[in-house]
């Protein structure tokens, strides 16, 4: 079995916009000609917008390249819906047909609730919450749903041959309303069959044992360039035989992949240079043959392209949604380099060896020679698949460990995204509520953004790229604890060095107060704020959240004797205050050494004990208090982004100009996408 390096740093920013206040504020901003970052809020979600500064300064050819890559990014939308759950496309189509064709009262509360459900389905790319992966439900009755179907005479529902509308309703309704059907997308619980119990569409009719047996056969422990087994396929049982259905231009998802390839072919014609052209063409070849060896060759070409101004991610990349950690969801990001801000990450990557030499881990687990860490700050130009609308804020790819070892990796910080978050967050009241002192608030306002960006830079470019495995230790040794431990390692590396004088010496920060702001925020988030994303009574499950909880709780406990982090209670409100930043830094270093030891030696028991002891359970009283305080602020805890739109002007079949537009109607964008980018057949059976 091949576990991958989990490397997208999901959104760690929890200081989010308050809807009511913010809407007013942004309206005012708009009136004054400023940009509106906040679009709308519903359920526990907010829809934001990002800007693409610098687009107008690109050359005509570069704009054209971005346009083609953006189209390719949008063409895989259906794939992600289908991967998330077998009937997502059927459900989405049914809901959209109602939304567009219902002839009854569209102003009623019921209809509004119906639309909120549809928007949630769009946002989560399916019927399971994008973060908790649990099924969510509409706040309407099944009877009303039946009425909606009945009163949408022009709708083109996906009826089976000879099926009546009533039969159709009876078939679709339980998929939406029955809590026992596909209750959870990704089940990770110890002791259950995580394959059979997960609703995710990577497997059908097979058990966890069968999946393990199937891939064990393929795995050769002596291969030091192993392919990423199972990455781009669905495993199904056909006539009693376990069979892989590969995603390719001739296989599963061919209808969408064909379109992606069409746009990639156009992109290749306007590539900036031969290196870039070569990897785009190799990616096309991979989509055509579905061969994971071709995928590896592509990644080697792609990781070596560090000079192009424009870059992209397009493919089956991250494995977070597979309970087995093998199969990847489809995603796409189009971007270009932010030259000015990239100077910062270049300083970091140029000094990667210094950081590795000075890291507090056992020399046996350090890299003697750090190579190929290329880091840049990018401006996101388009999001697709698993990156839309909830985008990461940093990415470090490729994931294959042997490619990282032999060819290095590319690490990016997505600064127009973090900027948009920050803009939407100011004035939400979250800082005022959860910071203990005015001083802490002021520090966060002054240095919070730069501390965040540096944390992301170092997490991606240094953290994930640091350390080495002892010979004979397999990537898969830590099993389901691999992912949170890997994130711990990267976070701790960033935290430890953020407060190093070297940072000041390198001119990356003006003084160590930046690190203080970073530490304050990390602990505030790890011990309190991130809990706002979890329902009372539930455990922490998501890898990045387990990581943050583990680090914060461990440091809190280990530093108790010296009062490093103090828990204060004022008028029934809890605060965590850092009394000794230097000591806290030492604790970060101590834990980093231990987590690196766990990874390098494949110490599964120690890894499991660490995560289970500090990263899973939540103090129920504290959790309730945090949820209550947060609810008062009326800030939805999850954010996602609408895309910008590129409009091409053509003359005689040739593109003469491309303009960027900033749509601000989420429903409209979603219906437009469904109209223009729905390529996969809808599955009824
Ligand atoms: Zn990471």
């Amino acid at each position: 079995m091949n576990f991958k390096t989990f490397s997208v740093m999901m959104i760690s920013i929890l200081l989010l916009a308050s809807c009511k206040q913010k809407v007013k504020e942004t309206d005012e901003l708009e009136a004054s000609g400023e940009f509106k970052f906040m679009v709308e809020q519903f359920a526990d979600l907010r829809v934001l917008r990002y800007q693409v500064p610098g687009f107008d300064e690109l050359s005509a050819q570069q704009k054209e390249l971005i346009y083609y890559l953006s189209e390719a990014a949008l063409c895989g939308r259906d794939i992600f819906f289908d991967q998330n759950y077998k009937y997502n496309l059927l459900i989405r189509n049914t809901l959209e047909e109602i939304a567009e064709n219902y002839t009854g009262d569209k102003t009623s509360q019921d209809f509004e609730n119906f639309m909120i459900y549809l928007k949630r389905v769009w946002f989560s790319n399916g019927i399971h919450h994008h973060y908790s992966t649990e099924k969510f439900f509409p706040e309407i009755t099944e009877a009303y749903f039946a009425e909606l179907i009945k009163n949408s005479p022009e709708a083109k529902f996906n009826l089976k041959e000879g099926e009546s509308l009533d039969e159709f309703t009876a078939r679709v309704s339980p998929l939406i309303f029955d809590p026992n059907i596909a209750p959870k997308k990704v089940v990770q619980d110890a002791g259950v069959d995580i394959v059979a119990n997960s609703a995710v569409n990577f497997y059908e009719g097979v058990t966890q044992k069968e999946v393990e047996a199937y891939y064990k056969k393929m795995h050769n422990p002596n291969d030091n360039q192993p392919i990423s087994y199972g990455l781009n396929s669905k495993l199904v049982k056909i006539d009693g035989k376990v069979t892989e259905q590969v995603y390719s231009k001739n296989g599963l998802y061919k209808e969408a992949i064909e379109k992606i390839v069409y746009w990639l072919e156009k992109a290749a014609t306007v590539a900036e240079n031969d290196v870039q052209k070569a990897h785009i063409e190799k990616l096309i070849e991979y989509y055509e043959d579905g061969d994971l060896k071709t995928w590896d060759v592509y990644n080697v070409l792609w990781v070596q392209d560090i000079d192009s101004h424009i870059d992209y991610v397009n493919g089956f990349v991250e494995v977070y949604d597979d309970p087995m950690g093998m199969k990847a969801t489809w995603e796409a990001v189009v971007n270009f380099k932010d030259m000015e801000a990239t100077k910062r990450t270049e300083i970091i990557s140029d000094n990667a060896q210094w950081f590795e030499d000075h890291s507090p881990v056992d020399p046996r687990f350090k890299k003697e020679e750090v190579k190929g860490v290329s880091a840049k700050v990018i401006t996101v130009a388009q999001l697709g698949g698993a990156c839309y609308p909830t985008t990461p804020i940093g990415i470090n790819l490729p994931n294959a460990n042997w490619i990282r070892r032999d060819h290095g990796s590319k690490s990016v910080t997505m600064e127009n995204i973090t900027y948009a978050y920050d803009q939407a967050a100011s004035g939400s009241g979250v800082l005022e509520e959860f910071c203990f002192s005015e001083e802490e608030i002021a520090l966060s306002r002054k240095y919070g953004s730069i501390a965040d960006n540096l944390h992301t830079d170092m997490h991606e470019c240094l953290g994930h790229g640091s350390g080495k495995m002892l010979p004979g230790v397999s990537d898969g040794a830590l099993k389901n604890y691999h992912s949170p431990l890997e994130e711990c390692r990267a976070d701790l590396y960033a935290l430890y060095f953020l407060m190093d004088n070297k940072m000041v010496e390198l001119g990356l920060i003006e003084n160590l107060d930046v690190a203080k702001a970073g530490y304050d925020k990390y602990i505030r988030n790890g011990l309190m704020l991130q809990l706002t994303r979890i329902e009372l009574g539930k455990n922490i499950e998501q890898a990045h959240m387990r990581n943050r909880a583990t680090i914060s709780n461990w440091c809190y406990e280990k530093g108790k004797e010296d009062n490093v982090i103090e828990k204060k209670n004022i008028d029934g409100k809890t605060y965590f205050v850092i009394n000794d930043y230097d000591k806290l830094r030492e604790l970060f270093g101590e834990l980093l050494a231990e987590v690196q030891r766990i990874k390098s030696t494949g110490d599964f028991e120690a890894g499991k004990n660490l995560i289970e002891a500090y990263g899973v359970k939540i103090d129920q009283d504290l959790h309730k208090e945090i949820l209550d305080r947060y609810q008062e602020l009326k800030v939805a805890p999850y954010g996602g982004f609408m895309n910008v739109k590129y409009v091409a002007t053509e003359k005689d079949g040739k593109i003469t100009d491309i303009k960027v537009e900033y749509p601000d109607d989420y429903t409209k964008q979603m219906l437009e996408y469904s109209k223009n980018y729905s390529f996969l057949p809808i599955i009824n059976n």
Side-chain angles (χ1 to χ4, degrees):
M1 206 183 312
N2 176 26
F3 280 85
K4 320 210 69 60
T5 305
F6 293 75
S7 52
V8 171
M9 181 181 169
M10 301 306 248
I11 294 129
S12 68
I13 295 171
L14 270 156
L15 306 174
L16 312 170
S18 140
C19 89
K20 296 252 166 57
Q21 280 174 354
K22 201 60 214 169
V23 167
K24 186 164 166 278
E25 254 180 54
T26 46
D27 279 347
E28 282 161 12
L29 280 177
E30 238 192 5
S32 65
E34 302 254 358
F35 189 79
K36 183 172 93 176
F37 288 94
M38 174 81 186
V39 176
E40 65 172 314
Q41 171 162 314
F42 47 87
D44 56 352
L45 310 170
R46 290 161 314 129
V47 179
L48 309 174
R49 299 195 302 169
Y50 59 89
Q51 294 170 301
V52 191
F55 181 79
D56 291 339
E57 284 80 60
L58 297 173
S59 73
Q61 187 181 338
Q62 287 174 324
K63 287 180 186 171
E64 200 173 337
L65 178 57
I66 285 183
Y67 174 70
Y68 294 144
L69 291 171
S70 295
E71 288 297 316
L74 295 174
C75 288
R77 178 174 181 252
D78 275 3
I79 296 177
F80 187 47
F81 270 89
D82 188 77
Q83 286 183 310
N84 279 334
Y85 176 50
K86 192 181 171 185
Y87 297 113
N88 273 341
L89 290 175
L90 172 66
I91 293 165
R92 190 190 79 194
N93 176 261
T94 304
L95 302 174
E96 286 171 348
E97 287 296 326
I98 293 169
E100 296 205 282
N101 297 292
Y102 179 57
T103 53
D105 180 7
K106 283 189 167 182
T107 61
S108 70
Q109 185 61 48
D110 276 339
F111 193 78
E112 191 179 315
N113 290 346
F114 164 78
M115 282 306 295
I116 288 172
Y117 178 67
L118 172 54
K119 285 194 263 191
R120 295 185 72 186
V121 169
W122 282 328
F123 192 100
S124 291
N125 290 277
I127 62 168
H128 301 93
H129 192 278
H130 72 287
Y131 211 76
S132 75
T133 87
E134 280 175 30
K135 185 170 178 174
F136 55 84
F137 302 92
E139 290 184 7
I140 57 171
T141 62
E142 283 196 71
Y144 180 70
F145 181 67
E147 284 302 306
L148 290 172
I149 290 186
K150 217 174 268 166
N151 293 300
S152 303
E154 300 295 316
K156 295 181 188 67
F157 294 119
N158 207 60
L159 303 181
K160 288 185 192 178
E161 207 170 311
E163 190 176 40
S164 72
L165 208 54
D166 285 344
E167 285 163 345
F168 174 76
T169 307
R171 176 160 65 89
V172 175
S173 200
L175 298 176
I176 295 172
F177 291 92
D178 188 340
N180 297 314
I181 295 178
K184 197 162 182 194
K185 187 170 88 173
V186 186
V187 171
Q188 312 251 35
D189 308 345
V192 305
D193 184 325
I194 55 179
V195 167
N197 285 287
S198 294
V200 75
N201 195 21
F202 292 129
Y203 308 97
E204 196 164 332
V206 289
T207 63
Q208 184 178 347
K209 279 215 171 67
E210 286 169 323
V211 175
E212 283 167 348
Y214 185 88
Y215 287 106
K216 203 174 169 191
K217 271 195 318 228
M218 293 187 183
H219 186 65
N220 169 10
N222 298 319
D223 185 353
N224 72 344
Q225 297 189 350
I227 61 159
S228 305
Y229 298 98
L231 188 75
N232 65 338
S233 63
K234 178 174 173 175
L235 206 62
V236 296
K237 201 181 266 176
I238 300 173
D239 301 331
K241 199 170 174 297
V242 180
T243 311
E244 234 183 12
Q245 294 179 331
V246 174
Y247 310 144
S248 82
K249 204 178 153 187
N250 306 304
L252 196 54
Y253 301 143
K254 60 175 188 273
E255 301 85 353
I257 291 173
E258 217 169 73
K259 303 286 181 190
I260 295 167
V261 166
Y262 169 84
W263 290 108
L264 289 176
E265 280 171 347
K266 285 191 172 288
T269 66
V270 290
E272 294 175 276
N273 52 58
D274 289 344
V275 176
Q276 189 180 56
K277 188 174 165 54
H279 61 74
I280 295 175
E281 285 174 344
K282 191 53 81 176
L283 179 59
I284 293 169
E285 189 184 321
Y286 158 69
Y287 274 131
E288 279 166 354
D289 65 20
D291 187 339
L292 288 169
K293 281 209 182 73
T294 314
W295 172 244
D296 282 349
V297 176
Y298 157 73
N299 275 293
V300 171
L301 291 173
W302 177 82
V303 80
Q304 287 169 345
D305 176 8
I306 49 175
D307 293 326
S308 299
H309 193 58
I310 292 162
D311 209 351
Y312 65 94
V313 175
N314 186 306
F316 301 95
V317 179
E318 299 289 353
V319 296
Y320 299 106
D321 286 316
D322 177 10
M324 301 293 286
M326 270 188 299
K327 303 196 170 293
T329 46
W330 190 88
E331 69 174 40
V333 176
V334 185
N335 65 78
F336 57 92
K337 223 186 263 186
D338 178 337
M339 301 306 273
E340 189 51 38
T342 293
K343 286 178 191 154
R344 186 184 78 217
T345 52
E346 278 170 357
I347 293 172
I348 292 171
S349 62
D350 286 349
N351 288 278
Q353 190 68 54
W354 185 93
F355 287 108
E356 186 73 352
D357 293 345
H358 290 80
S359 96
V361 314
D362 187 323
R364 289 186 300 148
F365 311 137
K366 287 189 191 184
K367 273 202 174 108
E368 291 85 10
E369 194 198 342
V370 180
K371 65 167 142 188
V373 189
S374 88
K376 61 186 172 184
V377 177
I378 58 168
T379 301
V380 168
Q382 195 79 182
L383 301 164
C387 293
Y388 177 88
T390 51
T391 166
I393 53 173
I395 301 179
N396 183 324
L397 291 173
N399 280 333
N401 270 323
W402 75 263
I403 301 180
R404 302 167 73 85
R405 181 192 68 212
D406 296 348
H407 302 279
S409 63
K410 278 203 272 199
S411 165
V412 301
T413 304
M414 300 150 95
E415 209 145 295
N416 60 329
I417 297 293
T418 58
Y419 179 76
Y421 269 123
D422 278 350
Q423 290 301 308
S426 66
S428 67
V430 173
L431 273 184
E432 287 77 1
E433 178 61 37
F434 291 97
C435 289
F436 179 68
S437 63
E438 288 300 323
E439 197 189 341
E440 189 182 332
I441 296 169
L443 210 58
S444 185
R445 288 211 190 284
K446 188 164 183 194
Y447 295 124
S449 286
I450 180 65
D452 268 346
N453 283 329
L454 282 168
H455 182 96
T456 307
D457 297 341
M458 292 197 288
H459 171 112
E460 299 294 348
C461 145
L462 300 178
H464 281 307
S466 69
K468 69 171 182 192
M469 310 287 276
L470 287 189
V473 177
S474 101
D475 284 352
L478 301 175
K479 299 182 196 168
N480 47 328
Y481 298 99
H482 168 95
S483 179
L485 287 165
E486 178 57 25
E487 296 309 327
C488 269
R489 210 170 66 86
D491 264 1
L492 287 163
Y493 207 96
L495 289 164
Y496 181 77
F497 283 114
L498 188 59
M499 201 171 254
D500 199 302
N501 275 317
K502 184 82 178 173
M503 299 293 285
V504 182
E505 198 185 297
L506 291 171
L508 291 164
I509 57 179
E510 54 185 65
N511 59 54
L512 293 179
D513 281 356
V514 177
K516 287 184 182 173
Y519 284 16
D520 285 344
K521 186 168 178 181
Y522 198 88
I523 295 300
R524 204 161 59 228
N525 192 11
L527 293 178
M528 297 191 291
L529 269 172
Q530 71 165 0
L531 303 180
T532 59
R533 297 175 158 207
I534 298 174
E535 259 176 70
L536 193 62
K538 296 249 160 78
N539 288 335
I540 304 174
E541 297 207 28
Q542 206 271 347
H544 295 79
M545 289 175 74
R546 281 189 168 186
N547 139 46
R548 289 181 216 120
T550 299
I551 293 175
S552 307
N553 283 311
W554 189 90
C555 290
Y556 173 63
E557 196 176 298
K558 297 290 165 186
K560 244 182 189 164
E561 209 166 292
D562 297 323
N563 209 14
V564 177
I565 301 170
E566 189 177 344
K567 184 176 182 175
K568 300 202 192 227
N569 197 295
I570 310 285
D571 301 332
K573 290 183 178 183
T574 305
Y575 303 89
F576 288 91
V577 183
I578 301 172
N579 289 322
D580 190 337
Y581 291 94
D582 293 326
K583 258 277 161 46
L584 179 56
R585 181 181 183 225
E586 276 173 37
L587 290 171
F588 286 147
E590 211 178 294
L591 186 56
L592 172 57
E594 170 62 2
V595 172
Q596 184 63 56
R597 185 198 65 76
I598 289 170
K599 172 161 179 173
S600 293
T601 60
D603 189 345
F604 174 78
E605 277 305 314
K608 177 183 166 191
N609 292 339
L610 180 69
I611 299 294
E612 291 291 344
Y614 297 99
V616 179
K617 297 268 183 284
I618 308 171
D619 172 336
Q620 294 299 295
D621 293 338
L622 177 66
H623 196 186
K624 183 171 185 320
E625 177 202 318
I626 301 297
L627 289 174
D628 288 347
R629 286 162 69 186
Y630 197 76
Q631 199 176 9
E632 285 286 300
L633 300 169
K634 298 194 167 46
V635 182
Y638 302 96
F641 287 87
M642 284 183 69
N643 265 324
V644 301
K645 184 177 176 178
Y646 297 100
V647 182
T649 314
E650 287 184 40
K651 200 182 165 197
D652 307 327
K654 246 190 93 61
I655 290 179
T656 54
D657 189 32
I658 290 158
K659 287 244 174 325
V660 57
E661 287 181 358
Y662 296 98
D664 63 358
D665 185 332
Y666 181 57
T667 297
K668 201 172 151 204
Q669 180 159 79
M670 287 297 83
L671 290 172
E672 209 174 284
Y673 282 6
S674 292
K675 184 164 162 257
N676 298 331
Y677 301 99
S678 288
F679 303 121
L680 295 187
I682 294 169
I683 304 295
N684 270 327
N685 301 307

